[in-house]
């Protein structure tokens, strides 16, 4: 009979295609008392390295995983249990633990990505969760749906979550139309129509925040709430050096210092991240698409479309999340929308949904639940 006081620490699943990860480092020693949210280990995937935060509280009774070793998703890496649980029970738990088989449930067996043809072109998307309200995740300039690597599965516990590559990005069509917010918003709405989503909680990061806000303020009834993460459209300022650098970078040497502006923790700008973005930028049509969006949205070092007033007038629940170390769009913009709930998180940069994923997910779940 299992002892429910014993809690496993397992290899997390970050993103739809992750199958394994390397345990890069333990951040706590055996015998340490751990609280929910404590950073307990660092895991490296083929896309990014990040810390794992504890989902349960307890004493770390056993470190099963070895630093430097690769483990499948859901493999047992450690064991939490209170002091009164004896060592024999811990040994029995470790010996009996079985890694769930790949594809062992419907969610793991589902395709990681799909494509849909829309009036805005062919769009790549991913969906998780089978109950609750619809949530649509909209990435920023130069990003793709993998920017929600640490969010989509977590949020799917409370909602039907959808992420897409905007036109000009990822594996979607590279035709950005007029290259403005209206064109991008029309693509998101076309995607929603293709999935028979009448209204959704819109969660937008950076440029995707401005796209979300444009939908909410011009298409009444399509947005149930707004979550704006380091969002464009809430002020004039933006680091034009980042925008121009991303558009023009053609080599690892050019791109890596540009990407370093996205994160407070520079260790997150790994070789795979840089290589993946270089591969994307070499696709036909990408440079022209990015340049057109830059000129339509961020020309001359300023954001062209102010949205804060229209958002406030839309009478929707609004959550604004920012990182204190954002070097692309100033965190001072977080307070631009009167009446919004505002959370500015320490030690996180522009990609706050990756660097402070657990807290961001908690805030979004609370917001859409409210």
């Amino acid at each position: 009979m299992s002892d429910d006081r014993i809690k496993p620490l397992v290899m997390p699943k970050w993103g739809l295609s992750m199958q394994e990860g390397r345990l890069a480092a333990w951040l706590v020693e055996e015998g340490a008392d751990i609280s929910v949210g404590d950073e307990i280990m660092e895991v490296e995937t083929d896309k990014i390295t990040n810390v794992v935060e504890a989902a349960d509280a307890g004493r770390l009774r056993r470190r099963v995983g070895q630093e430097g070793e690769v483990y499948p998703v859901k493999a047992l890496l450690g064991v939490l249990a209170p002091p009164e649980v004896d060592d024999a029970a811990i040994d029995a738990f470790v010996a009996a633990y079985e890694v769930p088989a790949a594809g062992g449930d419907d969610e793991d067996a589902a395709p990681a990505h799909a494509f849909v043809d829309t009036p805005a072109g062919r769009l790549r998307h991913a969906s998780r969760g089978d109950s609750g309200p619809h949530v649509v995740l909209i990435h920023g300039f130069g990003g793709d749906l993998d920017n929600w690597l640490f969010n989509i599965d977590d949020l799917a516990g409370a909602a039907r979550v959808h992420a897409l590559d905007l036109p000009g990005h990822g594996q979607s069509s590279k035709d950005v139309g007029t290259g403005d917010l209206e064109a991008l918003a029309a693509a998101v709405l076309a995607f929603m129509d293709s999935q028979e989503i009448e209204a959704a909680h819109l969660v937008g990061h950076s440029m995707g925040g401005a796209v979300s806000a444009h939908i909410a303020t011009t298409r009444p009834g399509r947005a149930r709430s707004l979550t704006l993460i380091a969002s464009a459209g809430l002020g004039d300022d933006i680091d034009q050096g980042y925008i121009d650098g991303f558009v023009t970078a053609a080599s690892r040497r050019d791109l890596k210092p540009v990407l370093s502006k996205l994160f407070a923790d520079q260790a997150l700008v790994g070789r795979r991240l840089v290589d993946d973005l270089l591969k994307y930028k070499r696709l036909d049509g990408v440079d022209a698409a990015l340049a057109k969006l830059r000129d339509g949205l961020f020309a001359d070092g300023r954001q062209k479309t102010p949205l804060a007033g229209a958002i406030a007038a839309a009478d929707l629940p609004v959550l604004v999340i920012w990182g204190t170390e954002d070097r692309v769009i100033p965190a001072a913009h977080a307070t631009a929308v009167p009446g919004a709930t505002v959370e500015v998180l320490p030690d996180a940069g522009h990609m706050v949904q990756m660097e402070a994923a657990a807290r961001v997910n908690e805030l979004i779940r609370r917001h859409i639940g409210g």
Side-chain angles (χ1 to χ4, degrees):
M1 182 176 178
S2 63
D3 188 333
D4 60 10
R5 296 174 298 172
I6 302 176
K7 305 293 184 184
L9 300 175
V10 303
M11 177 62 67
K13 183 173 177 61
W14 289 333
L16 303 174
S17 59
M18 179 178 169
Q19 298 298 318
E20 63 184 17
R22 187 177 73 91
L23 176 56
W26 280 101
L27 304 179
V28 289
E29 299 294 332
E30 283 189 357
D33 290 319
I34 293 171
S35 300
V36 173
D38 285 354
E39 296 182 352
I40 53 177
M41 66 184 94
E42 189 174 83
V43 166
E44 178 184 320
T45 75
D46 62 354
K47 292 185 179 295
I48 200 165
T49 299
N50 209 349
V51 297
V52 176
E53 297 181 349
D56 297 296
R59 180 165 294 177
L60 181 58
R61 297 290 301 276
R62 193 69 50 83
R63 296 199 318 194
V64 178
Q66 301 298 309
E67 292 180 348
E69 294 296 318
V70 174
Y71 296 94
V73 165
K74 300 180 183 177
L76 184 68
L77 301 181
V79 177
L80 298 177
E84 55 268 24
V85 175
D86 62 32
D87 287 340
I90 302 294
D91 291 339
F93 180 87
V94 172
Y97 186 86
E98 295 183 359
V99 178
D105 55 53
D106 290 341
E107 185 170 283
D108 284 343
H113 307 115
F115 291 85
V116 61
D117 291 313
T118 75
R122 194 166 193 245
L123 303 177
R124 183 179 71 146
H125 64 98
S127 298
R128 286 301 218 201
D130 54 13
S131 63
H134 289 285
V135 174
V136 177
L137 307 176
I138 307 172
H139 65 76
F141 183 81
D144 63 17
L145 59 80
D146 283 334
N147 289 175
W148 306 105
L149 192 69
F150 304 131
N151 315 108
I152 187 168
D153 285 307
D154 186 285
L155 297 175
R160 289 170 287 181
V161 186
H162 314 271
L164 73 155
D165 292 343
L166 291 170
H169 296 78
Q171 296 179 35
S172 287
S173 165
K174 300 306 178 283
D175 182 359
V176 297
T178 52
D180 55 13
L181 289 182
E182 177 58 28
L184 297 177
V188 174
L189 291 167
F191 165 74
M192 290 173 61
D193 291 342
S194 76
Q195 306 302 302
E196 299 183 346
I197 302 170
E198 178 60 32
H201 297 278
L202 302 181
V203 179
H205 171 248
S206 195
M207 180 185 73
V211 175
S212 301
H214 185 78
I215 293 171
T217 57
T218 62
R219 304 320 200 271
R222 301 306 301 264
R224 298 180 62 177
S225 75
L226 280 176
T227 298
L228 305 175
I229 302 175
S231 181
L234 303 186
D236 291 337
D237 304 310
I238 192 165
D239 183 347
Q240 192 69 24
Y242 169 77
I243 301 295
D244 290 340
F246 191 89
V247 171
T248 60
S251 69
R252 161 178 284 276
R253 185 174 64 181
D254 296 335
L255 188 57
K256 186 169 183 177
V258 174
L259 298 179
S260 71
K261 295 185 178 185
L262 293 173
F263 300 96
D265 181 0
Q266 298 303 296
L268 295 178
V269 188
R271 175 175 291 274
R272 180 61 183 267
L273 176 64
V274 179
D275 289 346
D276 282 352
L277 282 169
L278 280 175
K279 183 177 179 181
Y280 152 69
K281 289 192 83 273
R282 288 166 180 160
L283 295 174
D284 287 345
V286 166
D287 283 349
L290 292 175
K292 194 169 189 177
L293 289 170
R294 174 196 60 193
D295 296 343
L297 299 173
F298 309 120
D300 304 319
R302 314 298 290 175
Q303 298 189 49
K304 294 180 68 172
T305 309
L307 294 164
I311 296 168
D315 193 28
L316 279 172
V318 179
L319 169 65
V320 180
I321 303 173
W322 230 283
T324 58
E325 307 306 310
D326 195 326
R327 292 194 284 156
V328 178
I329 303 177
H333 291 193
T335 58
V337 180
T341 299
V342 177
E343 295 282 345
V344 180
L345 305 182
D347 305 319
H350 191 61
M351 301 298 289
V352 61
Q353 79 274 24
M354 301 183 85
E355 290 193 277
R359 179 59 176 154
V360 169
N361 294 340
E362 176 188 2
L363 290 167
I364 295 173
R365 287 196 305 269
R366 183 190 305 165
H367 185 59
I368 65 176

